[in-house]
Amino acid sequence: MSTVASSAIIHPLSVIEEGAVIGEDVKIGPFCRIGGRVTLHEGVQVISNAVVDGFTEVGRDCHIYPMAVIGGVSQSLHEAGEDSKLVIGERCTMREGVTMNTGTVGGGGITSIGNDCLFLANSHVAHDCRLGNNIILSNNVMLAGHVIVGDRAILSGGCAVHQFARIGRQAFVGGLSAVNYDVIPYGMLNGNPGILGGLNVIGMSRAGIERAVIHQVRRAFKQIFDAEGSVRANAAAIRDEYLDCPEALEVIDFICAESDRAISSPYRGKA
């Protein structure tokens, strides 16, 4: 039996399947379908002509626009109907045609989205992705499976991200870019194949990072990518120089962490 809060407003032309949990002040417009394992928390709005399905939890005050399909089964070739989840945080907006898939057992069983994220029309989040807070996916952005995106990252229109890639906090990816490799925190990547063009200095400034700190991160960037030797070895070699700069350490530790992908670089072929 479904649990529907007394303050919820549900259009009579929508279908709420048995077992769904509909919270206080939820609004569901016409021609929507809410699956039987879906939880919509307080204040969620599903505008019209949208589907929320699967084992899916949508946080409070999220907005889901027409033609979005949230919680669809993964498109993985290994999908066999196992139990898996999609968990979306609070105050996220999924615009027209957005698709988000549940996880897979082989990938941890969960696709997770943080708070205050904006997904513009026709963007796609595949199985087992993990997204932080305040992220923007512009129109037609495509995340393959197992992608990790850090807080405040911005992905511009039409860019495509390879499976298992990581995009660091506050990185910026330009429109139509191909993200084949990991993108460092504060990095700015453009092109196909994607080339690391430097630091997202504007984004760092807007986030309140002081100019002196930005200069330290830029200095570390040059030491890592301009010196002889591999990027990971260069990063490890300078770590002790930046113990007093958390932002630079974040970049260094991101590079030195284990990953299925190489690191995006200003110079193709160097990893």
Side-chain angles (χ1 to χ4, degrees), residues 254-269:
F254 181 95
I255 291 171
C256 293
E258 291 187 13
S259 176
D260 292 291
R261 309 298 299 164
I263 300 294
S264 296
S265 166
Y267 314 105
R268 265 181 287 170

Side-chain angles (χ1 to χ4, degrees), residues 39-215:
T39 298
L40 303 181
H41 287 283
E42 177 183 348
V44 169
Q45 294 189 36
V46 187
I47 307 301
S48 70
N49 299 87
V51 174
V52 186
D53 204 2
F55 191 2
T56 295
E57 181 176 352
V58 181
R60 61 185 299 170
D61 297 322
C62 287
H63 287 66
I64 300 173
Y65 280 73
M67 311 312 294
V69 180
I70 307 301
V73 67
S74 81
Q75 300 176 74
S76 170
L77 294 175
H78 304 292
E79 174 63 46
E82 304 99 332
D83 218 17
S84 58
K85 295 184 67 174
L86 167 65
V87 177
I88 301 172
E90 300 178 352
R91 299 175 301 278
C92 292
T93 298
M94 285 68 76
R95 291 301 303 256
E96 295 82 357
V98 167
T99 52
M100 294 182 177
N101 296 157
T102 55
T104 62
V105 172
I110 186 169
T111 302
S112 63
I113 312 291
N115 301 325
D116 301 295
C117 295
L118 173 60
F119 301 88
L120 296 186
N122 300 308
S123 54
H124 173 67
V125 179
H127 59 90
D128 305 299
C129 287
R130 288 182 285 156
L131 278 61
N133 303 315
N134 300 102
I135 291 166
I136 299 175
L137 267 59
S138 297
N139 300 67
N140 303 303
V141 169
M142 298 171 285
L143 303 186
H146 311 275
V147 168
I148 298 173
V149 184
D151 295 348
R152 300 180 66 89
I154 298 176
L155 282 67
S156 302
C159 74
V161 184
H162 194 285
Q163 62 188 17
F164 293 100
R166 298 177 299 151
I167 297 176
R169 185 165 72 93
Q170 234 171 284
F172 179 89
V173 179
L176 301 178
S177 295
V179 184
N180 296 317
Y181 305 115
D182 293 347
V183 182
I184 61 170
Y186 314 108
M188 187 164 58
L189 183 133
N190 282 285
N192 184 359
I195 301 297
L196 190 65
L199 297 176
N200 180 18
V201 173
I202 293 176
M204 296 173 77
S205 298
R206 288 175 177 171
I209 298 175
E210 296 180 359
R211 184 179 297 272
V213 173
I214 294 173
H215 285 318

